[in-house]
Amino acid sequence: MLSGLLITAAVMGLGGIPHCAAMCGAPCSMAFPRGLPFTFLVGRALGYTTLGVLAAASSNILGSWVRDVAFLKPFWLMGQLAAVMLGVWLLWSGRWPQQLELLGQKIYHWANQRWGHQIRQAAQWSVGLQITAGMAWAVLPCGLLYGAVMVAALANTPIEGGLVMLVFAVISGVGVWMA
């Protein structure tokens, strides 16, 4: 099963190179006008790998709880239905629900006020901050990224989930680097 997940992650990463270049290229070129440092890409790969480990571990734990604890089954079903309903909404309207959009804008404005100046001075960051910024890339809202996380969640062990995301991060990182 791992080989199928790795191939899927590799194909998603390869197919996602133009997406990554278009969506992440502008913020990266603004933060790093002299070129993207390799340490940022290392941090990005570490962040994505950590995300894959967490996804596989939580999926395995939650799956065992749902099988073993009967009263959790309705909550599991409600969570899945909520995810499907959000997906149908996104497919139908082509935009986020207004409440989620407003929440995202509030968070963005708060973060911009708090750290905007430091982010614009990213070219002068130390190696540790560059790695940290790359790791923080894992929490950005990206459908392709979280599609790959769903693939990693199917892994049998957390290490396999991390490996799936590492493959995705390395291959899709080519698009970020090229941009």
Side-chain angles (χ1 to χ4, degrees):
M1 180 166 157
L2 178 61
S3 62
L5 295 177
L6 292 174
I7 291 169
T8 301
V11 169
M12 287 178 76
L14 190 61
I17 287 175
H19 167 84
C20 295
M23 300 304 289
C24 295
C28 286
S29 64
M30 185 183 84
F32 302 102
R34 294 185 196 133
L36 198 61
F38 181 71
T39 51
F40 175 84
L41 292 172
V42 169
R44 181 179 173 270
L46 286 171
Y48 283 20
T49 301
T50 303
L51 199 57
V53 167
L54 292 173
S58 61
S59 175
N60 290 335
I61 289 169
L62 191 57
S64 67
W65 284 357
V66 168
R67 282 189 305 273
D68 298 338
V69 183
F71 82 89
L72 289 177
K73 289 181 183 181
F75 295 107
W76 178 251
L77 179 63
M78 286 188 287
Q80 289 177 333
L81 286 175
V84 168
M85 288 173 32
L86 177 61
V88 169
W89 169 266
L90 291 171
L91 182 65
W92 180 260
S93 68
R95 61 182 175 83
W96 282 99
Q98 188 173 9
Q99 296 84 357
L100 291 177
E101 183 70 28
L102 291 175
L103 175 65
Q105 288 176 3
K106 284 180 185 178
I107 292 170
Y108 168 76
H109 291 300
W110 173 79
N112 192 32
Q113 288 175 349
R114 183 164 180 144
W115 298 303
H117 180 70
Q118 291 91 348
I119 291 172
R120 288 185 277 284
Q121 301 300 323
Q124 301 167 359
W125 288 1
S126 68
V127 171
L129 284 175
Q130 291 172 359
I131 290 173
T132 303
M135 290 181 73
W137 218 255
V139 298
L140 290 179
C142 173
L144 179 62
L145 168 62
Y146 289 105
V149 170
M150 292 298 109
V151 172
L154 296 173
N156 291 327
T157 66
I159 299 298
E160 290 178 1
L163 189 59
V164 167
M165 286 304 292
L166 180 61
V167 167
F168 174 77
V170 169
I171 295 174
S172 65
V174 171
V176 177
W177 175 77
M178 285 175 24

